[in-house]
């Protein structure tokens, strides 16, 4: 199996992220994330996306999508902003814990981004970000310059291809892979062996989902969702067959779904497991 990267373009839909003079973070990061994903795919890496268009998902849903994809690495794309526009510049990478693969990816990507022209603001540990905390695989969150800084936007726009290539190279280098060779160099016959994650991905595709409710009214579904999130459950909504289905987690192993069901029932929820 090829190495797999989950690509998460931050924000989306009703959540524009940072906005500066009409420019929206959600648009910049989608464009960049798709470009990076394409380069990774061309280099033989499997890519899963949390979104490929302008839709909103909660951070919990994004993390869950990443987990469900069985990816080996999760990369979230963002652009930064300050309370006072223009007061900062540069790129930084957020990680849950500055060690292991995330630390390596972060530094390799930052080196590439500084070659593209961004100031290097370094690696920052953040314990409270859902996409870093709830993802089961190594995860990084890239802040690709400040959207409220015209100079950073200038770099973002004029060096776009170098930035995308640099991020892809930084990722590939960190996991022991190489960029796709340029067409005229002929390439190599043998693909390097990607390192395997410690836990093998399960063979079967079936996922056990714990459902707490299904609603025709969107607002009722969101009330239930918010209650679950407030209690710390990784809940999300799936819209399907004219019903808003509120679910908590999606598990490759039935026993884990049953464990989740048990703790939900302790909180008084009626649940059932669906596949
Ligand atoms: Zn953001």
């Amino acid at each position: 199996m090829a190495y797999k990267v989950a690509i998460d373009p931050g924000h989306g839909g009703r959540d524009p992220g940072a906005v500066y003079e009409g420019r929206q973070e959600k648009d910049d990061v989608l464009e960049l994330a798709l470009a990076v994903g394409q380069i990774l795919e061309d280099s033989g890496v499997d890519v899963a996306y949390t979104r490929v268009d302008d839709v909103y998902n909660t951070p919990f849903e994004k993390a869950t999508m990443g987990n469900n994809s069985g990816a080996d690495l999760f990369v979230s794309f963002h652009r930064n902003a300050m309370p006072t526009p223009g007061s900062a510049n540069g790129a930084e990478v957020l990680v849950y814990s500055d060690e292991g693969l995330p630390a390596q990816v972060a530094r390799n990507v930052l080196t590439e981004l500084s070659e593209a022209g961004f100031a290097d603001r370094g690696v920052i540990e953040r314990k409270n970000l859902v996409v870093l905390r709830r993802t089961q695989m190594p995860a990084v969150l890239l802040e690709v310059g400040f959207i409220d800084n015209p100079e950073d936007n200038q770099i973002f726009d004029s060096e776009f291809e170098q930035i995308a290539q640099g991020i892809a190279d930084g990722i590939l280098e960190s996991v022991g892979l190489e960029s796709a060779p340029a067409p005229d160099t002929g390439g190599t016959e043998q693909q390097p062996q990607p390192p395997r994650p410690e836990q093998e991905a399960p063979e079967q595709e079936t996922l056990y989902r714990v459902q707490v409710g299904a609603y025709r009214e969107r607002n009722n579904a969101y009330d239930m969702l918010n209650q679950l999130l407030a209690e710390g459950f990784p809940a999300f909504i799936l819209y399907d067959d004219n019903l808003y289905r509120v679910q908590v987690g999606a598990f490759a192993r039935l026993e884990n779904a049953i464990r989740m069901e048990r703790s939900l029932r302790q909180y008084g929820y009626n649940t059932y497991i669906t596949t």
Side-chain angles (χ1 to χ4, degrees), residues 76-92:
S76 190
F77 288 75
H78 289 259
R79 297 204 63 210
N80 226 331
M82 284 307 246
T84 307
S87 60
N89 68 302
E92 63 192 37

Side-chain angles (χ1 to χ4, degrees), residues 20-186:
Y20 177 70
E21 291 183 351
R23 185 168 180 144
Q24 303 184 90
E25 180 185 358
K26 67 173 183 176
D27 299 325
D28 278 5
V29 296
L30 179 59
E31 192 186 357
L32 180 60
L34 292 176
V36 172
Q38 186 61 56
I39 297 168
L40 292 176
E41 287 185 55
D42 291 345
S43 306
V45 171
D46 282 347
V47 177
Y49 299 89
T50 60
R51 68 179 178 102
V52 292
D53 47 24
D54 188 21
V55 295
Y56 175 74
N57 289 292
T58 67
F60 281 112
E61 287 176 290
K62 288 165 174 277
T64 303
M65 282 187 249
N67 292 340
N68 291 348
S69 75
D72 302 297
L73 174 68
F74 186 95
V75 183
S76 190
F77 288 75
H78 289 259
R79 297 204 63 210
N80 226 331
M82 284 307 246
T84 307
S87 60
N89 68 302
E92 63 192 37
V93 179
L94 310 182
V95 295
Y96 183 79
S97 182
D98 189 7
E99 57 190 2
L101 184 61
Q104 212 172 330
V105 173
R107 283 179 178 75
N108 287 335
V109 166
L110 282 171
T111 301
E112 299 282 349
L113 289 176
S114 63
E115 276 170 27
F118 288 114
D120 183 346
R121 295 169 57 89
V123 182
I124 299 163
E125 284 193 356
R126 291 283 295 274
K127 300 293 186 194
N128 59 344
L129 289 177
V130 169
V131 293
L132 298 179
R133 193 162 56 108
R134 296 280 187 172
T135 38
Q136 290 157 357
M137 69 288 286
V140 294
L141 188 153
L142 314 180
E143 294 279 10
V144 187
F146 281 76
I147 198 168
D148 62 2
N149 184 311
E151 283 164 31
D152 271 8
N153 288 339
Q154 161 72 26
I155 298 169
F156 190 92
D157 295 335
S158 64
E159 307 304 325
F160 183 83
E161 275 163 36
Q162 190 188 339
I163 292 165
Q165 185 70 51
I167 292 171
D169 286 348
I171 293 168
L172 291 166
E173 202 181 319
S174 307
V175 301
L177 296 172
E178 283 169 22
S179 257
D184 59 346
T185 62

